[in-house]
Amino acid sequence: MFKKTLITLLISLVFIGCKQPKETIESEKNTTTFHYAKNISIDENETTITIQSSGNSVTFDKKDLPIQTVMVETTSAIAYLNELGLLNKIKGATDVDFIYNPKILEGINNQSILKIGTSNELFTEIILKNKPQLIIANSNPVLAKFHQQLEQNGIKILYLDEYKEQLPMAQVEYLKVFGKIFGKDGEAAQQIELVNHRYDSIRNIIQTQGKENISTLVNTMFGDIWYTPTNNLLQAKLIDDAKGNYIFKDKNGESSLSLTFEEVYTKGKSATHWINVTNVNSLAEMKAAYPNYTWFDAYKKGNVFAYNKRVTVKGANDYFEQGILRPDIILNDLGKIFYPELFPTYDLYFYQQLK
């Protein structure tokens, strides 16, 4: 009996001894909290950091951090790195004509930053020759074969699809990723808090003092279709926070509405404001592009606004670069457009009124 009990005790001790390290490892796992972003996660333990984004995963050994050299395939990556003072880490970029940041353009001109491809092709020989520690990309299926080749040659690729987020502060939270792998955790947290505080302050002014006497029409025709957001999408949420009374705010869904001119005109002919018109710089250009635009009251009154105030000669638009990280500035612009009396000394930053 004693022998049987002793054996049972020994087995129990072995089981506990084997199980304990696993529990210890699990207790050391740390997950970064994202309050707004839905398509990103960061998990780490004593030795590694793993980032998951839109179905992709990449793991970094902490001994290899912070990252010292990076190449970028998205202008959003440039914006994040710029916000943390890390532009000097960029050694290559794609689609250089679509980059707004003047420091990056200067680097491309003096060849301290390499041209490494386009959205349709990567120059793998140039990338492999210069071998960055990391490439930051999005989940572009067209470039999948190039990414696979680079990964097979030992280059890490971090896929970030921040554009899929639909809350104003969600894209800003991706700064946590850059803070984590570039050794800028504190700076990232501070900037997120600053933008969040400013966004909430501007929103509060508009929501408490705006008189709700406006209505908003957005976008323009693309071929025969007028794409407009549902109330689930980021553009509509920004308008709602700016108390813009969006004309299709009653429409739900995760995809944009595909409407005819007649459908939009019926709903928006009396809208007081028209924002986010594209590919034009004046009311005359709008009329030339599509004469029926002149039927809308907002056009007749000149209350038409485009987010093209900060655009390079080649067409790169800072709204899609810095704007990703500064929803507070976008909201301030919209507040000025809808309720100019609330922001008498503020000058539009991304937007301008078409004349």
Side-chain angles (χ1 to χ4, degrees):
M1 182 68 179
F2 173 77
K3 185 177 180 180
K4 183 176 181 181
T5 303
L6 180 60
I7 292 172
T8 302
L9 179 59
L10 287 173
I11 292 172
S12 298
L13 289 173
V14 170
F15 178 76
I16 292 170
C18 293
K19 187 176 180 181
Q20 189 62 37
K22 183 179 179 181
E23 290 177 341
T24 301
I25 291 171
E26 287 179 350
S27 68
E28 292 171 354
K29 185 177 179 181
N30 179 45
T31 300
T32 298
T33 300
F34 287 89
H35 299 286
Y36 305 97
K38 305 298 183 185
N39 298 305
I40 187 81
S41 69
I42 304 174
D43 296 309
E44 64 180 295
N45 56 38
E46 287 185 356
T47 59
T48 64
I49 294 174
T50 299
I51 299 168
Q52 294 187 1
S53 174
S54 297
N56 295 294
S57 178
V58 61
T59 297
F60 299 88
D61 288 329
K62 287 187 175 180
K63 62 181 175 56
D64 297 328
L65 301 177
I67 295 294
Q68 296 299 322
T69 59
V70 62
M71 292 183 177
V72 297
E73 296 179 21
T74 67
T75 56
S76 60
I78 293 172
Y80 289 115
L81 292 166
N82 182 56
E83 202 69 41
L84 296 178
L86 296 166
L87 290 184
N88 63 316
K89 307 297 183 184
I90 298 177
K91 305 304 177 186
T94 62
D95 288 313
V96 297
D97 287 346
F98 296 102
I99 295 172
Y100 181 87
N101 190 291
K103 291 183 179 179
I104 298 300
L105 294 178
E106 180 183 351
I108 290 166
N109 288 335
N110 64 32
Q111 298 185 340
S112 63
I113 297 176
L114 303 172
K115 298 178 182 179
I116 61 166
T118 69
S119 56
N120 295 311
E121 177 188 13
L122 294 181
F123 305 152
T124 52
E125 288 187 11
I126 294 176
I127 296 171
L128 291 172
K129 180 180 178 181
N130 292 275
K131 202 153 191 180
Q133 275 184 276
L134 178 67
I135 292 177
I136 300 175
N138 58 35
S139 302
N140 179 0
V142 177
L143 297 179
K145 62 180 181 181
F146 299 100
H147 291 154
Q148 184 178 23
Q149 181 183 354
L150 292 170
E151 288 175 317
Q152 288 171 347
N153 282 274
I155 295 179
K156 288 187 180 296
I157 299 179
L158 173 60
Y159 298 93
L160 296 180
D161 293 337
E162 79 293 326
Y163 63 90
K164 294 180 179 180
E165 303 288 351
Q166 298 301 342
L167 293 175
M169 280 299 301
Q171 294 183 16
V172 184
E173 276 198 305
Y174 278 63
L175 268 176
K176 293 180 179 181
V177 176
F178 290 81
K180 188 67 68 176
I181 62 176
F182 285 92
K184 294 277 188 175
D185 277 328
E187 293 90 334
Q190 185 177 21
Q191 183 61 19
I192 293 168
E193 183 179 357
L194 185 152
V195 173
N196 198 5
H197 175 73
R198 191 166 184 273
Y199 189 95
D200 287 345
S201 298
I202 296 167
R203 183 182 182 279
N204 184 59
I205 291 172
I206 298 170
Q207 292 293 321
T208 56
Q209 300 180 47
K211 301 186 186 305
E212 293 189 277
N213 57 350
I214 65 167
S215 53
T216 307
L217 166 71
V218 304
N219 300 348
T220 49
M221 296 286 289
F222 187 80
D224 295 329
I225 300 175
W226 196 317
Y227 295 102
T228 62
T230 62
N231 64 14
N232 302 86
L233 302 184
L234 177 59
Q235 193 178 57
K237 293 182 187 301
L238 285 164
I239 296 170
D240 186 53
D241 282 350
K243 217 170 185 178
N245 194 23
Y246 173 47
I247 62 171
F248 290 111
K249 65 181 180 181
D250 59 330
K251 301 295 184 182
N252 299 314
E254 299 300 323
S255 300
S256 296
L257 303 172
S258 302
L259 305 175
T260 64
F261 175 86
E262 289 74 17
E263 287 174 308
V264 176
Y265 180 69
T266 299
K267 191 83 169 178
K269 59 184 177 182
S270 300
T272 59
H273 292 74
W274 190 347
I275 66 169
N276 298 1
V277 300
T278 56
N279 301 322
V280 294
N281 294 297
S282 68
L283 294 175
E285 286 185 22
M286 280 188 73
K287 181 179 180 179
Y290 201 88
N292 292 357
Y293 288 151
T294 62
W295 297 359
F296 291 91
D297 286 356
Y299 182 96
K300 295 174 184 177
K301 296 175 182 177
N303 284 334
V304 182
F305 298 81
Y307 45 51
N308 62 357
K309 189 174 182 179
R310 297 171 61 81
V311 175
T312 67
V313 293
K314 292 186 177 181
N317 193 331
D318 199 29
Y319 180 89
F320 299 110
E321 196 165 310
Q322 186 185 181
I324 289 171
L325 271 167
R326 298 307 302 268
D328 56 323
I329 298 178
I330 295 174
L331 185 64
N332 215 155
D333 274 11
L334 295 178
K336 177 72 172 185
I337 290 169
F338 298 149
Y339 304 102
E341 71 281 0
L342 299 183
F343 305 96
T345 62
Y346 178 80
D347 293 323
L348 294 177
Y349 188 81
F350 291 117
Y351 281 84
Q352 62 181 347
Q353 188 171 10
L354 299 188
K355 303 294 185 181

